[in-house]
Amino acid sequence: MTIAGKKILIAVSGGIAAYKIHFLIRYLIKKGADVQVIMTPDAEHFVTKLSLSTLSKKPVYSDFYTENGTWNSHVELALWADLMIVAPCTANTLAKMVNGICDNLVIATYMSAKCPVFIAPAMDLDMYQHPSTKKNLDLAESFGHTIIPAESGELASGLIGQGRMAEPETISTQIEAFFNENSNQSLDGKTVLITAGPTYEAIDPVRFIGNHSSGKMGFSLADEAAKRGAKVILISGPSAEKVSHQNIEIHKVVSAKEMFDKVFEFYETIDIGIASAAVADYTPKMVASEKIKKNDESFSIELIKNPDILKTMGEQKKHQFLVGFALETQNEEENALGKLHKKNLDMIVLNSLRDEGAGFKNDTNKIKIFTQTDKKEFDLKSKESVAKDILDFVENQYLK
Ligand code: C5P
């Protein structure tokens, strides 16, 4: 897989690094990509439309209107692209993107784009370190955009530090890697629902019952399913993880009851359901409306059972392919197989807390997969690789 034939929209904003865009265009064109350049009005102070259009072999647009009284359709430009890269992305353009301040052709095109968006920021040292830039980059990432971080070195101001736009070759390699990673569209047209993270069950306005689940496994699964072309509905309890693909629609919940309600808002429409959340089994019967005071020597909370989300999914199963997780400390295989049957699942992923590096907070996991008839054991791997193994297995079972 190469980027030959891929339609790449480069949006140039007004920073000194704009001079490097000529090299980016050359790399992409050499590899057979179809390149369209647009620019902000300020970018024209740094580079000319003539040089950019000569290299990209297309007219370059910076205004909504042409001299002939016609207009440059930002919607058409946006829908044309397989990928949009904003490079260099100045602090100003970044801020406008994440706040929807749509006062030029670049931002209007960006806001109409449905394709993946890459951002290569470039700015001076202190601007790059400024909390507002950091916040805006985080926001852009939370929209599912890919940030190609600025590199360290000598800056136009003479200062030395992080802020230089990544080299054109680095940007071009990342774009290529993106298309390579996304070349397997085996789940195209499928909707995958994934539950992730812990749930928090309120005791009073400040305390809750929770667990150590980080959500990493569920987020890795969501990312991998999205890369394979699925539409992903990710329903996550409190987690610090972020989504990184525009095919993922994230719904944040707190309690098991909220997770249950959200899952069944979508259940009818999904093809595959993967329950990786560590849902609290019990919840306080009463939630105190005020903070509970420590007046007594002992204190007890009455707990009632939470709904079993996955079991209910199993009971209501029609066409859906269901995958559960089992985190066991003893009689692992027997317990996992018991859950497979009891919850009417198609597949269960077992991770044992006895295995070092497996389960909960770790970045790695070691799993065994069971179906009614099959069993497969895997080595300790990163959660990203484990997500690939799980989805390969799902595809083998579900798409056969
Ligand atoms: O029965 P147990 O909690 O061990 O089952 C684990 C599996 O069931 C996991 O896939 C988990 O996400 C799911 N589950 C659920 N709702 C619950 C409890 C567990 O969806 N209340």
Side-chain angles (χ1 to χ4, degrees):
M1 169 88 190
T2 66
I3 54 169
K6 292 291 175 200
K7 302 188 188 86
I8 298 174
L9 181 65
I10 303 181
V12 184
S13 65
I16 183 67
Y19 82 89
K20 293 188 190 173
I21 294 309
H22 301 93
F23 297 97
L24 177 63
I25 299 170
R26 285 196 61 194
Y27 283 127
L28 296 173
I29 293 270
K30 254 193 188 162
K31 291 185 174 165
D34 201 356
V35 175
Q36 170 69 59
V37 180
I38 56 174
M39 63 206 293
T40 62
D42 269 349
E44 289 192 67
H45 294 298
F46 295 91
V47 281
T48 65
K49 278 185 181 165
L50 183 63
S51 59
L52 296 171
S53 68
T54 307
L55 289 166
S56 64
K57 305 178 175 47
K58 282 189 191 354
V60 172
Y61 306 111
S62 62
D63 203 342
F64 288 108
Y65 314 102
T66 68
E67 281 164 9
N68 309 327
T70 55
W71 79 312
N72 299 318
S73 168
H74 55 276
V75 177
E76 256 172 47
L77 283 166
L79 297 184
W80 169 86
D82 294 320
L83 183 143
M84 177 173 187
I85 162 110
V86 187
C89 183
T90 59
N92 181 45
T93 288
L94 175 66
K96 285 183 184 174
M97 287 168 72
V98 297
N99 288 294
I101 300 173
C102 194
D103 64 353
N104 66 40
L105 181 73
V106 163
I107 308 295
T109 307
Y110 157 72
M111 290 185 70
S112 313
K114 291 203 174 100
C115 62
V117 175
F118 280 44
I119 296 172
M123 55 198 84
D124 213 88
L125 183 64
D126 298 312
M127 294 172 87
Y128 197 64
Q129 293 304 333
H130 197 279
S132 73
T133 303
K134 290 187 172 163
K135 186 182 114 215
N136 289 341
L137 285 171
D138 281 350
L139 266 175
E141 220 170 15
S142 77
F143 297 169
H145 304 336
T146 302
I147 314 295
I148 305 178
E151 294 172 359
S152 284
E154 194 177 330
L155 303 167
S157 61
L159 293 174
I160 293 176
Q162 198 179 8
R164 283 161 65 123
M165 188 181 79
E167 289 304 317
E169 202 170 352
T170 311
I171 299 176
S172 152
T173 308
Q174 285 219 22
I175 291 176
E176 227 177 330
F178 169 82
F179 283 115
N180 276 330
E181 265 187 19
N182 287 277
S183 61
N184 168 13
Q185 294 293 289
S186 45
L187 290 175
D188 186 26
K190 301 283 179 245
T191 302
V192 180
L193 181 146
I194 297 170
T195 66
T199 64
Y200 287 178
E201 310 298 321
I203 298 170
D204 68 15
V206 286
R207 299 161 178 119
F208 59 83
I209 298 172
N211 60 65
H212 291 301
S213 168
S214 63
K216 277 184 191 136
M217 193 63 248
F219 277 69
S220 299
L221 281 162
D223 201 38
E224 184 58 28
K227 282 180 185 158
R228 295 181 187 206
K231 173 184 172 201
V232 179
I233 299 165
L234 175 62
I235 302 174
S236 173
S239 164
E241 295 296 305
K242 290 177 182 160
V243 291
S244 55
H245 199 290
Q246 90 282 352
N247 284 9
I248 304 173
E249 179 183 307
I250 183 162
H251 298 270
K252 295 204 166 171
V253 295
V254 177
S255 66
K257 172 75 176 60
E258 282 173 29
M259 188 174 276
F260 182 95
D261 290 344
K262 201 41 95 182
V263 165
F264 286 96
E265 229 177 271
F266 297 104
Y267 190 54
E268 294 268 299
T269 65
I270 67 162
D271 301 293
I272 298 167
I274 307 179
S276 69
V279 185
D281 291 324
Y282 292 92
T283 193
K285 187 174 180 186
M286 302 289 288
V287 181
S289 55
E290 302 296 338
K291 186 179 171 197
I292 299 168
K293 297 283 175 204
K294 50 175 184 300
N295 294 331
D296 301 322
E297 278 314 304
S298 70
F299 174 70
S300 49
I301 307 169
E302 191 182 347
L303 301 175
I304 53 166
K305 224 173 185 180
N306 263 328
D308 190 320
I309 305 166
L310 184 57
K311 187 159 177 277
T312 315
M313 289 163 88
E315 284 160 6
Q316 299 187 14
K317 184 160 85 172
K318 291 186 191 118
H319 56 278
Q320 295 91 345
F321 184 92
L322 291 185
V323 182
F325 273 73
L327 181 70
E328 305 293 334
T329 53
Q330 54 185 353
N331 300 332
E332 288 116 336
E333 298 202 4
E334 195 184 318
N335 284 336
L337 280 168
K339 278 170 200 171
L340 180 80
H341 293 118
K342 207 169 82 193
K343 302 196 186 196
N344 193 21
L345 309 179
D346 299 284
M347 197 176 126
I348 192 149
V349 181
L350 166 68
N351 37 74
S352 163
L353 274 187
R354 284 192 196 170
D355 287 322
E356 204 165 312
F360 276 158
K361 283 183 192 164
N362 293 311
D363 288 332
T364 50
N365 205 358
K366 186 169 184 316
I367 58 159
K368 287 180 192 168
I369 295 181
F370 299 88
T371 65
Q372 304 276 2
T373 52
D374 248 342
K375 173 186 166 181
K376 192 166 175 187
E377 201 167 337
F378 297 84
D379 294 334
L380 183 74
K381 295 182 183 183
S382 70
K383 285 188 172 165
E384 289 81 15
S385 304
V386 173
K388 288 191 177 120
D389 289 339
I390 293 173
L391 286 172
D392 284 349
F393 210 93
V394 169
E395 284 182 15
N396 251 321
Q397 299 286 319
Y398 172 72
L399 301 172
K400 69 184 172 194

